[in-house]
Amino acid sequence: MVPGDHAEEAIVPMADGANGRGEVRAMDTAWDGGEDSEQQQGGGGKFSMKDLLWHGGSVWDAWFSCASNQVAQVLLTLPYSFSQLGMVSGLLLQVFYGLMGSWTAYLISVLYVEYRARKEKEGVSFKNHVIQWFEVLDGLLGPYWKVAGLAFNCTFLLFGSVIQLIACASNIYYINDRLDKRTWTYIFGACCATTVFIPSFHNYRIWSFLGLGMTTYTAWYITIAAAVHGKVDGVKHSGPTSLMLYFTGATNILYTFGGHAVTVEIMHAMWKPRKFKYIYLVATMYVFTLTLPSAATMYWAFGDALLTHSNAFSLLPKTGWRDAAVILMLIHQFITFGFACTPLYFVWEKAIGMHHTGSIFLRALARLPIVVPIWFLAIIFPFFGPINSAVGALLVSFTVYIIPAVAHMLTYRSASARQNAAEKPPAFLPSWSGMFVVNLFVVVWVLVVGFGLGGWASVTNFVKQIDTFGLFAKCYQCPPKAHVGSPLSAPPHH
């Protein structure tokens, strides 16, 4: 392993002798060449604005990436979920799934460390190679697990990217409704295609920082605007009204805290990956300060009206503050699109033999075919809100909850594996048996409630949207336009 460049792409090369030690290092010596600063990125101790903005690998970079990636467009659909669940269930399930998501993110980080430790002992170098989740499963459990991880993870990230594109069109419509949402999807598909030029998660440093600032502004704008608006006349809070709506809302929250499908790539971009263990939990604690107040306040103010308004912006009055929030969310969704697509780019590069190519332009060109199906699917299924729940139940449930928990149990099923584990059980649960029980609970709960009941509810609701609006809907949930000759535009109610 070459110190200092283990997590870098060929685009950001490191000299073998950056610190005078180019030998293969054992796992217990940290992977970082002995330094925890931007100096590792080849700067030779010199300050570089490019490094400051472009080359990130610190604990803070990972935290910003996790927090920014976790709360994107779903911030706008959580009030919709609260109208399906009711206030109490909405609050409790956010906390419950937030903690469960943090646990499985921790498991993924442990399995990454275990995989890397074993490979390093075999003398394997990951220079200019980004480790991904399916490779971890392959190395620890074999080729069948690799196929399962690759199928679920790639499909989830594909639809995660689709959701960001749908959200862009849905949001911009509230600023400019002269174009329908489908046309906006065409436009933003072209804009998001520029993410092919961002080499790896190292290079999201400034974007992660800005993205989290943008969602923080949007969350508190929604909270304050809803509180100032107050309760609408005759507001009702009747949720939950049916099991279908209840489990649809629950799986949207499952999806919300299932953003760690890119955990391995974020870890690999760190200079000290072993420090990742609790980063996702801390990021989730911050995300709670954004999602809980905004969703609760919106539901308090608008109640059952949210059942037919899956985007929170649709019920808030048009002001400069709202337009600013819409624009900031559009930028953030561009960033999150890149987060979801980058692992897909890596998989595709490896499949066609371009992953180690040094030219950023050749790699960008090779990545473009990934964007086309995402663009197409966003036009077919423009159902902002319901698609989140369907993806949550059918894909997130396995990708980031069930598979990591089962993989952890199988990896450490033998006494020798537990004895030689690169990472021992955490201090708050210092028992392998305790970890097994928690993992088993996660598997059973998500399989029954998330995939089973959630899958039934979300797919039923999704089919209902297709029956109501049709595939390739030109303008999903758009208000009716004023008739020609009307003196005033019809007031928006979506």
Side-chain angles (χ1 to χ4, degrees), residues 238-292:
S238 53
T241 57
S242 72
L243 284 176
M244 185 196 76
L245 289 177
Y246 186 87
F247 287 108
T248 299
T251 50
N252 187 39
I253 295 179
L254 179 85
Y255 169 83
T256 301
F257 295 99
H260 42 292
V262 295
T263 295
V264 170
E265 289 84 357
I266 292 174
M267 281 188 73
H268 195 78
M270 293 179 69
W271 300 321
K272 293 186 177 182
R274 296 187 80 160
K275 290 188 175 183
F276 182 87
K277 287 185 292 186
Y278 303 116
I279 286 176
Y280 195 88
L281 175 62
V282 178
T284 299
M285 295 298 107
Y286 180 78
V287 167
F288 282 154
T289 69
L290 307 181
T291 58
L292 291 171

Side-chain angles (χ1 to χ4, degrees), residues 73 76 164-176 181 184 188 311-314 322 325-330 333 384:
Q73 53 73 37
L76 306 176
Q164 299 307 321
L165 201 49
I166 294 170
C168 287
S170 178
N171 289 342
I172 191 63
Y173 187 79
Y174 298 114
I175 290 182
N176 185 339
K181 292 182 181 179
W184 280 119
F188 278 99
N311 190 324
F313 285 141
S314 64
R322 193 193 75 164
V326 170
I327 293 169
L328 292 176
M329 283 303 292
L330 286 171
Q333 279 150 6
F384 185 70

Side-chain angles (χ1 to χ4, degrees), residues 424-475:
K424 302 302 181 185
F428 61 85
L429 189 64
S431 162
W432 287 104
S433 299
M435 292 192 75
F436 181 86
V437 170
V438 174
N439 288 341
L440 187 61
F441 171 79
V442 169
V443 172
V444 173
W445 177 276
V446 176
L447 193 61
V448 174
V449 177
F451 176 71
L453 295 172
W456 159 75
S458 59
V459 170
T460 302
N461 188 40
F462 193 76
V463 171
K464 181 181 176 183
Q465 304 304 312
I466 295 175
D467 292 340
T468 304
F469 296 95
L471 299 176
F472 298 96
K474 189 173 183 180
C475 209

Side-chain angles (χ1 to χ4, degrees), residues 340-468:
C341 263
T342 298
L344 295 176
Y345 296 153
F346 292 156
V347 172
W348 178 246
E349 288 171 358
K350 292 170 184 177
I352 63 174
M354 293 288 288
H355 188 57
H356 299 138
T357 300
S359 169
I360 188 173
F361 295 104
L362 286 177
R363 288 180 67 187
L365 189 63
R367 291 171 169 189
L368 279 175
I370 297 298
V371 179
V372 176
I374 294 169
W375 210 347
F376 187 62
L377 288 168
I379 294 166
I380 298 178
F381 305 115
F383 311 126
F384 185 70
I387 193 173
N388 294 22
S389 297
V391 171
L394 303 179
L395 297 173
V396 174
S397 56
F398 283 94
T399 302
V400 296
Y401 292 99
I402 294 174
I403 289 178
V406 174
H408 188 274
M409 289 190 286
L410 293 179
T411 298
Y412 297 108
R413 64 187 180 277
S414 68
S416 61
R418 294 191 296 271
Q419 183 178 357
N420 298 315
E423 288 284 344
K424 302 302 181 185
F428 61 85
L429 189 64
S431 162
W432 287 104
S433 299
M435 292 192 75
F436 181 86
V437 170
V438 174
N439 288 341
L440 187 61
F441 171 79
V442 169
V443 172
V444 173
W445 177 276
V446 176
L447 193 61
V448 174
V449 177
F451 176 71
L453 295 172
W456 159 75
S458 59
V459 170
T460 302
N461 188 40
F462 193 76
V463 171
K464 181 181 176 183
Q465 304 304 312
I466 295 175
D467 292 340
T468 304

Side-chain angles (χ1 to χ4, degrees), residues 32-41 57-60 270-272 275:
D32 57 26
E35 298 185 42
D36 187 20
S37 72
E38 287 82 354
Q39 291 177 3
Q40 289 177 283
Q41 306 308 306
S58 69
V59 169
W60 281 105
M270 293 179 69
W271 300 321
K272 293 186 177 182
K275 290 188 175 183

Side-chain angles (χ1 to χ4, degrees), residues 79-226:
Y80 168 65
S81 296
F82 267 51
S83 70
Q84 297 169 320
L85 291 163
M87 184 72 80
V88 175
S89 289
L91 293 171
L92 291 178
L93 283 175
Q94 274 206 53
V95 174
F96 176 71
Y97 281 127
L99 294 176
M100 186 182 287
S102 299
W103 172 256
T104 54
Y106 169 78
L107 297 180
I108 292 171
S109 72
V110 168
L111 293 172
Y112 169 89
V113 168
E114 184 66 39
Y115 168 76
R116 190 155 178 178
R118 293 183 186 183
K119 290 298 181 182
E120 287 193 356
K121 288 176 182 177
E122 297 170 6
V124 175
S125 170
F126 294 108
K127 181 179 181 181
N128 299 331
H129 181 91
V130 177
I131 298 173
Q132 294 189 267
W133 177 229
F134 70 90
E135 293 170 318
V136 172
L137 291 173
D138 184 29
L140 297 177
L141 297 173
Y144 292 110
W145 280 86
K146 173 185 177 179
V147 171
L150 194 59
F152 277 107
N153 214 42
C154 288
T155 309
F156 166 47
L157 291 170
L158 179 75
F159 277 96
S161 304
V162 168
I163 289 169
Q164 299 307 321
L165 201 49
I166 294 170
C168 287
S170 178
N171 289 342
I172 191 63
Y173 187 79
Y174 298 114
I175 290 182
N176 185 339
D177 61 1
R178 289 190 293 275
L179 298 177
D180 58 75
K181 292 182 181 179
R182 187 167 65 193
T183 302
W184 280 119
T185 303
Y186 294 141
I187 294 169
F188 278 99
C191 294
C192 289
T194 59
T195 58
V196 298
F197 289 101
I198 303 178
S200 75
F201 282 97
H202 274 297
N203 312 115
Y204 276 95
R205 162 171 275 188
I206 187 63
W207 294 112
S208 297
F209 175 77
L210 292 176
L212 189 58
M214 292 167 186
T215 48
T216 299
Y217 170 88
T218 301
W220 284 105
Y221 156 72
I222 291 172
T223 303
I224 295 168

